Amino acid sequence: MDTVIDARVKTFIQVTELWIPDGDRLVLANGNYGDLAAFETATRAISFGKGEGLPGKAWAEQRPVVLKGFDGSYFKRIEAAAEAGLTSAVALPVFDEDDLKAVLVVLCSDSDERIGAIEVWSELDGLMMLDDGYYGAAKHFEWVSQHTHFPRGQGLPGGVWSARTPMLFRELGSGYRFIRADSAGKAGLTTGLGVPVPVPHDRQFVLTLLSARGTPIARRFEIWDARPEKVGKETAAILVDGICERDGPLWTDDNDAPPRRVTANQGNIGKVLATGLPVILSGAPALTEGYSAMVALPVYQGGALAHVVAWYI
């Protein structure tokens, strides 16, 4: 096993939860709460109907939802969140056409030390516009993002929208492909993951996770391609892009080296292939490439699982 990564670094995301349908309710399937045990206890006592709380709102509205303040809102765990220092959250529904598979929720705290971005972009009048986002202390980058839009194929949101596939951007502060490079560099943002968010209606959404070295969203990112035209008839996925602080690039363009490939039930990515559900795993570095936690998220296209994106903390 490779060296275990030091988990004491402050991360941009503090809590990650997976809610799955159980009849007419959303129930907690799993979560990574770190040392926020009281908030975890409060969470395990509740469930959500359609339209209730943040997970239920994402279910009812069939779209990603950003909530940048809990006081006076529809958030159901306001007191427990305040005691835990949590101030903002994003809910991401996972749809296979009309079928809701799960809702992934991430929660963050507001401090002068945390830099990063979780953005939701949506198509409006032929452009990708910022629907909403949470940026921590990166206030200037937030302002720039609010005044930026992307044609199809331009930048990270426009590129994901055009290709209908997840994308990784590196060196955001100096990359010519990243339209907001100057402000990203000043904010200390380094790596960007863009993910299409398919929903039952025609509106197009893209999620972007922008990570900084000081308070990373993740220190390892992976994109797996599970489309039949890429992997054949077998339920499988091939690693097509990835980056990590420790190992550098996680894939190879060398034709003499076989690509990394997993099949259903093979490891954590294989579990996503087998169940069609996101995976959250924490407290088991031996099972998460030496990291303290990981999230693996399926992306559906045309009624089938097309990609899996994963990030490791």
Side-chain angles (χ1 to χ4, degrees):
M1 168 58 63
D2 292 327
T3 303
V4 174
I5 294 291
D6 184 356
R8 292 172 294 179
V9 172
K10 288 185 178 179
T11 55
F12 189 68
I13 295 172
Q14 289 188 271
V15 171
T16 307
E17 303 174 333
L18 176 61
W19 298 86
I20 60 173
D22 183 8
D24 61 354
R25 308 290 294 177
L26 288 172
V27 298
L28 185 69
N30 202 357
N32 176 26
Y33 294 88
D35 58 359
L36 301 179
F39 185 75
E40 179 179 4
T41 299
T43 298
R44 293 192 178 279
I46 62 175
S47 63
F48 297 97
K50 184 176 286 189
E52 291 182 350
L54 182 59
K57 187 175 180 68
W59 182 14
E61 296 190 0
Q62 300 181 335
R63 50 162 291 159
V65 178
V66 179
L67 185 56
K68 292 190 284 190
F70 297 151
D71 288 345
S73 75
Y74 51 83
F75 195 76
K76 295 296 185 183
R77 296 166 283 168
I78 294 176
E79 184 176 342
E83 292 176 355
L86 301 169
T87 58
S88 305
V90 179
L92 184 72
V94 178
F95 279 100
D96 177 6
E97 297 192 319
D98 293 335
D99 181 26
L100 180 74
K101 308 293 286 188
V103 177
L104 184 74
V105 175
V106 299
L107 297 103
C108 306
S109 68
D110 195 14
S111 75
D112 293 336
E113 299 177 349
R114 284 187 164 86
I115 298 288
I118 306 171
E119 303 174 318
V120 174
W121 298 83
S122 62
E123 185 273 331
L124 181 65
D125 297 331
L127 295 169
M128 269 289 154
M129 311 289 289
L130 183 67
D131 192 76
D132 209 344
Y134 174 67
Y135 298 83
K139 300 304 182 185
H140 177 68
F141 184 78
E142 179 177 8
W143 184 90
V144 170
S145 300
Q146 290 169 342
H147 295 82
T148 304
H149 56 264
F150 296 92
R152 187 182 293 271
Q154 187 179 77
L156 183 56
V160 172
W161 176 31
S162 177
R164 299 177 67 195
T165 63
M167 288 184 171
L168 266 174
F169 275 20
R170 296 154 172 77
E171 302 301 329
L172 298 184
S174 58
Y176 70 93
R177 298 170 64 199
F178 194 72
I179 306 303
R180 298 167 285 165
D182 182 64
S183 54
K186 291 176 180 177
L189 300 170
T190 58
T191 305
L193 173 67
V195 185
V197 184
V199 293
H201 45 84
D202 292 335
R203 196 170 176 190
Q204 304 292 312
F205 290 94
V206 171
L207 172 76
T208 54
L209 303 177
L210 310 180
S211 190
R213 286 194 177 91
T215 52
I217 285 178
R219 287 174 291 182
R220 174 182 176 122
F221 294 95
E222 300 173 349
I223 297 176
W224 296 81
D225 196 330
R227 292 173 293 180
E229 60 266 30
K230 299 294 184 180
V231 299
K233 294 182 179 180
E234 185 180 26
T235 302
I238 296 174
L239 182 69
V240 293
D241 204 353
I243 192 169
C244 143
E245 287 183 359
R246 182 187 62 200
D247 301 328
L250 299 176
W251 88 108
T252 178
D253 291 325
D254 186 350
N255 291 331
D256 295 330
R260 287 186 54 184
R261 178 187 178 96
V262 296
T263 56
N265 289 312
Q266 182 182 357
N268 297 318
I269 303 303
K271 184 177 180 181
V272 177
L273 296 176
T275 65
L277 297 175
V279 167
I280 299 174
L281 190 60
S282 61
L287 302 177
T288 54
E289 305 291 346
Y291 292 83
S292 62
M294 66 90 67
V295 178
L297 178 70
V299 179
Y300 286 86
Q301 188 180 96
L305 199 161
H307 293 88
V308 179
V309 296
W311 57 92
Y312 300 73
I313 302 166

